[in-house]
Amino acid sequence: MKQILIVGAGLSGAVIGRELAQAGHQIRIIDSRPHIGGNCYTERDDKTGVMVHKYGPHIFHTDDEGVWDYVNRFTSFKPYMNRVKTTSKGQVFSLPINLHTINQFYGKTFRPAEALAFIETQADLSITEPQNFEEQALRFVGPDLYQAFFKGYTEKQWGCSPTELPASILKRLPVRFNYDDNYFFHRFQGMPENGYTPMIEAILDHPAITVELDTIYTPDMAEEADHVFWSGAIDGYFDFKLGRLGYRTLKFEEFFADGDYQGCAVMNYGDRDVPWTRITEHKHFSPWETHEKTVCYRESSHTAGPDDVPYYPIRLVDEKEMLTQYVDLAKSTEGVTFVGRLGTYRYLDMDVTIREALTTAEIFLNSDGHAPAFIVEP
Ligand SMILES: Cc1cc2nc3c(=O)[nH]c(=O)nc-3n(C[C@H](O)[C@H](O)[C@H](O)COP(=O)(O)OP(=O)(O)OC[C@H]3O[C@@H](n4cnc5c(N)ncnc54)[C@H](O)[C@@H]3O)c2cc1C
């Protein structure tokens, strides 16, 4: 039996902890926050009774049947389809851009093949090798759809011009030539009936796991452990000695209303002169519940300062250079495995987080306790 220290009681820490506890190890999990669940944390709002996604909207979607079975072991999921709308220049459109969006935007009644042929006339075919996000979008959809649906939203989300972002963000034509407005393509999609917190609580519910909240990591904790799994920020482990990796943070301005405020869970705002990127109305994440009042978050994106919650890793050229140096440092550090979205400085959906956590635990268990610094290279 080994003494394991896990930093972070989010999905990564909880799943690794559970797997190792079941294999007979003793697990101590600490988290600096006053709650478990990391960024997936949900809680019922006092005033309205609505289940709120405190760190932004989380929809579970996956093609990984093993992960789907895993989460369903710990909580019950309700069917949930993610359908997003966007407000642009005084009109509401359906996202992702689909046949309805195109017909409404251009005032047409195109059938699929007609819409495809039309979009091809809009696309800028003079761009043969797109060098950045803007060129890629122009090549795929042309200037009108780009301006309405991509440009302003991307500038607000990333705080820079789309010309500074890599073309790879838009991998394929971001348009559907049918009326399918289901945001995700995955086979399994749903929402935990009582939010994510009880699911993660159930994962952590094992006699060999202790969880300490409001507890920030200090190096002496590692001295008592045979191995550490670190799901905090990789630069944070090294006291930011090479500098801080860049993140975008989100600010949520909460407001209340009676009844139904916007009729859907997520309304994007693509116009540059609207300061927020989207409004989330949480009651629509639990359409099987009824509430008289409603609670919404106006969400805006900013450069993360030292005291902000890090949300989206920026991963442009400068950050990648610094990341390489931190990765080298991590690889020369004994007894620590860096995991999860912050430990590997990547955007990870929940299903990927769980799959990587399961693999991490498996490798640890098969390696006689000598897990490498990374299971997946950042
Ligand atoms: C806005 C937003 C929306 C998202 N929406 C979706 C979605 O719809 N679907 C989906 O599949 N995924 C979504 N995700 C991704 C999801 O949030 C992640 O997959 C998940 O949170 C990763 O879990 P984690 O345990 O790796 O990290 P985290 O949840 O960040 O957990 C890390 C924990 O470590 C703790 N910690 C850090 N440093 C220390 C320290 N020094 N000492 C003690 N504790 C520390 C933190 O407090 C935190 O609780 C979204 C992410 C964001 C940002």
Side-chain angles (χ1 to χ4, degrees), residues 189-315:
Q189 191 172 169
M191 196 61 84
E193 189 168 0
N194 293 303
Y196 293 95
T197 309
M199 176 181 97
I200 297 171
E201 211 164 51
I203 297 174
L204 291 167
D205 183 17
H206 188 284
I209 298 179
T210 59
V211 179
E212 296 161 45
L213 300 175
D214 286 314
T215 306
I216 299 176
Y217 172 81
T218 51
D220 55 296
M221 295 175 181
E223 284 162 23
E224 298 160 21
D226 296 307
H227 195 84
V228 177
F229 291 92
W230 179 268
S231 73
I234 182 170
D235 49 356
Y237 181 84
F238 297 104
D239 284 328
F240 308 100
K241 67 179 175 190
L242 305 173
R244 280 179 183 270
L245 290 164
Y247 275 95
R248 299 294 287 170
T249 190
L250 300 176
K251 301 257 187 290
F252 300 109
E253 185 200 332
E254 186 182 63
F255 65 95
F256 297 89
D258 288 328
D260 192 350
Y261 176 75
Q262 63 182 15
C264 64
V266 178
M267 174 68 76
N268 284 4
Y269 287 85
D271 295 341
R272 195 67 191 84
D273 54 354
V274 177
W276 49 91
T277 49
R278 57 182 177 177
I279 295 179
T280 297
E281 184 169 8
H282 295 267
K283 65 165 32 170
H284 293 294
F285 291 126
S286 310
W288 55 91
E289 295 184 0
T290 317
H291 301 282
E292 281 177 16
K293 293 192 177 301
T294 191
V295 51
C296 301
Y297 282 3
R298 256 183 220 111
E299 180 178 324
S300 57
S301 170
H302 309 266
T303 303
D307 296 327
D308 291 321
V309 177
Y311 280 92
Y312 296 109
I314 294 177
R315 288 188 80 101

Side-chain angles (χ1 to χ4, degrees), residues 8 11-12 31-32 39 57-59 312 341 347-350 353:
L11 264 184
S12 297
D31 203 300
S32 51
N39 275 12
H58 278 68
I59 295 103
Y312 296 109
R341 63 177 203 100
Y347 176 83
L348 296 179
D349 273 329
M350 290 181 279
T353 303

